[in-house]
Amino acid sequence: MSTASQLNDKQLEAMKYTQGPLLVLAGAGSGKTSVITRKIAHLVQNCGIPAYKITAMTFTNKAAREMKERVAKLLSREEAKGLSVSTFHTFGLNLLRLELKHTPLKNNFSILDADDCKRILMDLMHRDNLSGAESKDLIAKAMKKISDWKNDLIAPEQAHSTCETPEDVQFAHLYQLYERNLRAYNAVDFDDLIVMPTRLLQENAEVRDKWQNRVRYLLVDEYQDTNTAQYILVKLLVGVMGQFTAVGDDDQSIYAWRGAKPENMAQLKEDFHNLKVIKLEQNYRSTSRILKAANSVIENNPHIFDKKLWSDKGHGEAIRVITCRNDDDEAERVVKDLLTHKLMQGKSWKDYAILYRGNFQARVLETQLRQMQIPYKLSGGQSFFARAEIKDVMSYLRLIINPEDDSAFLRIINTPKRAIGPVTLEKLGLFAQETHQSLLAAAGDQRLSLSLPKKATSQLLEFYEFLDGFTRNLLEDDEPVPIIRQMMNEAGYIDYIKEQAATPAQEKTKLDNIEVLYSSIQSLINRAEDVDDKNIESVIRKMVLLDMLEQQQEEQDTDKVNLMTLHAAKGLEFPYVYMIGLEEEILPHKNSIAAETVEEERRLMYVGITRARQGLTMTLAEQRKAGGQMKQMMPSRFLDELPQDDLDWLGRKKKISNVDPKLQAQHYLENLRALIKR
């Protein structure tokens, strides 16, 4: 298949343009992935750029995986050799590993997750006797502020000059301590994977030249989601030559709360005067009516670049708006409507998606779906491996198979509490750095008594010996699960769960989850065909991988109704979409109304509308339960921005219907007969 086949004129122009910087404004459903993947093939096959000199970046592992698979179909294995397709964070991690000697990090540095980082902040607040160390909200706020500073490339020592409130001053102080701690632990957080490579390229001309040579052509997907650090990283990689293609849609920028800056698209015009802009406006997904509604809503936002989606998929069904009495009535009507539609049209469950602004809206829906015995899947729910108790037990096991795993050490050294304070840990971190060993090895080092008080030294040594004893037992025994169970009991972890649980139900859930983990380990051992695969090391490595596999399984095509937030729906499409809760203070969200950021909510509405291929139904409730009270609701302002002639507003306006009622009844009977015959 030729690289250019199946592309429309604008897509083809975007694929072939390689003379300078290019911004591809890709509307929803306009085939942007095809353009990026075919452009990579074009660069290799027709422009003489070897694959190892090409880098493509996106935001999610799923998008990177899809891009890799599609490129693999266009290039031979030889042609694709060395091609880099990854997320921004994976790219940053690889750069750090390759340039380690130019960074403050040493080998085996750990990547801390959000829980690890929150724990460090909590410890720091305790150590400084700062009020609010027990407040989860305050710690989350501090994390967000530090993350924003990092992503804006503001160093700890510069943060004070940006403070506007006493709380900011407190957070700036915390930021300095937090960074010092991360370096002492030889660890990085998620933001560092972008920020550290960006700073390195900014400050080190030799490294910058090397990487600009290495990346002859750069392709960036979902460009509207980049933050300041990512934008500067891109600029530093492409240099003055500006050999890049950025693909994005400012109308689908819905991650401002994560630091995304849609204005980065306008910034490209400022920084690259020879920037070419190509608009992809043909949509391959939705009917004209759905696109007219999307265009009509988004027109109310200010635009740097104008574009209008169009499609040749026909006029399509009217968009239905259903006013419901309350949230229970809304859930009941949506579920019954979906069921009737499925019976009449003979569709699959997976053809339907119900989208909402906040996760709380899913609860009533789930009750209704279960009552009707309709299979559904809830996207964005917590993964089994993301639960605190599973992460804790896994950290004990991770440290046993890799004593160098400092992030696992930091997670469990005080879980349960062992009277090893943050000051002790900081000194341990510095000692480990000076003696070039892991935190666990340092805890068992006799020389530690020269740096730490006797009590702290003996606490650390006790932990080291405890783990060392179980490590030997586990690696030598053919039946590791009873030993793991004994280890968690002797560590005091099971008692800790019982003490920490807020309710008996929560305690039971957590203990049941731990039992499920033990059973999973046992079944992996039982299923292993090779003797080498039965050992605890390979089993734990498989368990670590299982988390990723579990997430991939969720993406598999099962026949279930899809329930998800509007944020989670971005990038997906469904034949029939229900958008629920079209009310002021829900969509647009009350926080956005207060902060005057309704434009982002309007983009969320636009994302929701453009998920639908054939049918779109919107619902709103006149009253909604809030804190045990019934609250009167106002219809969303976005409903007024829709083209009113294309709406079938049930219970309010004359119905627009393209379907003959006799034909409809005939369809219904045929589908019922087909079901009975099964």
Side-chain angles (χ1 to χ4, degrees), residues 259-288:
K261 297 211 158 96
E263 57 269 30
N264 283 349
M265 295 179 87
Q267 192 61 42
L268 278 176
K269 250 182 165 172
E270 304 289 313
D271 290 337
F272 299 94
H273 299 302
N274 58 337
L275 180 76
K276 185 176 176 69
V277 179
I278 297 173
K279 298 176 190 177
L280 304 184
E281 294 168 299
Q282 182 175 358
N283 170 289
Y284 291 94
R285 177 186 297 159
S286 311
T287 62
S288 296

Side-chain angles (χ1 to χ4, degrees), residues 246-388:
V247 181
D249 180 4
D250 46 352
D251 290 333
Q252 291 189 75
S253 181
I254 55 174
Y255 292 119
W257 49 282
R258 284 205 312 225
K261 297 211 158 96
E263 57 269 30
N264 283 349
M265 295 179 87
Q267 192 61 42
L268 278 176
K269 250 182 165 172
E270 304 289 313
D271 290 337
F272 299 94
H273 299 302
N274 58 337
L275 180 76
K276 185 176 176 69
V277 179
I278 297 173
K279 298 176 190 177
L280 304 184
E281 294 168 299
Q282 182 175 358
N283 170 289
Y284 291 94
R285 177 186 297 159
S286 311
T287 62
S288 296
R289 239 186 195 140
I290 289 168
L291 295 181
K292 185 178 168 189
N295 288 331
S296 172
V297 167
I298 208 69
E299 258 168 22
N300 293 280
N301 267 3
H303 280 89
I304 307 150
F305 308 99
D306 285 319
K307 66 175 184 327
K308 241 187 172 60
L309 295 178
W310 62 275
S311 134
D312 55 11
K313 297 225 172 283
H315 203 43
E317 303 166 18
I319 293 165
R320 295 184 309 151
V321 182
I322 305 173
T323 307
C324 310
R325 289 191 313 281
N326 53 42
D327 36 1
D328 288 324
D329 181 41
E330 179 184 51
E332 193 176 327
R333 288 179 76 163
V334 165
V335 171
K336 283 187 173 158
D337 189 85
L338 188 155
L339 183 61
T340 309
H341 189 277
K342 181 186 184 290
L343 280 172
M344 288 178 69
Q345 306 292 328
K347 300 290 175 188
S348 303
W349 294 120
K350 65 171 184 259
D351 293 336
Y352 299 88
I354 307 175
L355 310 181
Y356 36 80
R357 177 65 179 82
N359 278 311
F360 71 93
Q361 291 167 271
R363 287 176 212 138
V364 242
L365 280 169
E366 286 192 82
T367 310
Q368 281 295 331
L369 288 161
R370 279 201 293 264
Q371 271 180 7
M372 296 291 218
Q373 296 184 323
I374 293 173
Y376 68 89
K377 69 171 176 188
L378 193 62
S379 293
Q382 196 185 36
S383 142
F384 177 72
F385 285 90
R387 295 166 201 274

Side-chain angles (χ1 to χ4, degrees), residues 39 63 274 321 339 344 459 474 543-544 553 639 651:
K39 184 155 196 168
N274 58 337
V321 182
L339 183 61
M344 288 178 69
Q459 291 278 16
L474 273 169
M543 294 301 288
V544 174
Q553 275 166 351
L639 290 169

Side-chain angles (χ1 to χ4, degrees), residues 108 397-406 408 440 537 541:
N108 299 331
L397 299 174
R398 271 169 45 199
L399 198 53
I400 275 176
I401 66 163
N402 175 18
E404 298 282 317
D405 193 335
D406 286 353
L440 182 64
E537 287 180 70
R541 290 217 170 85

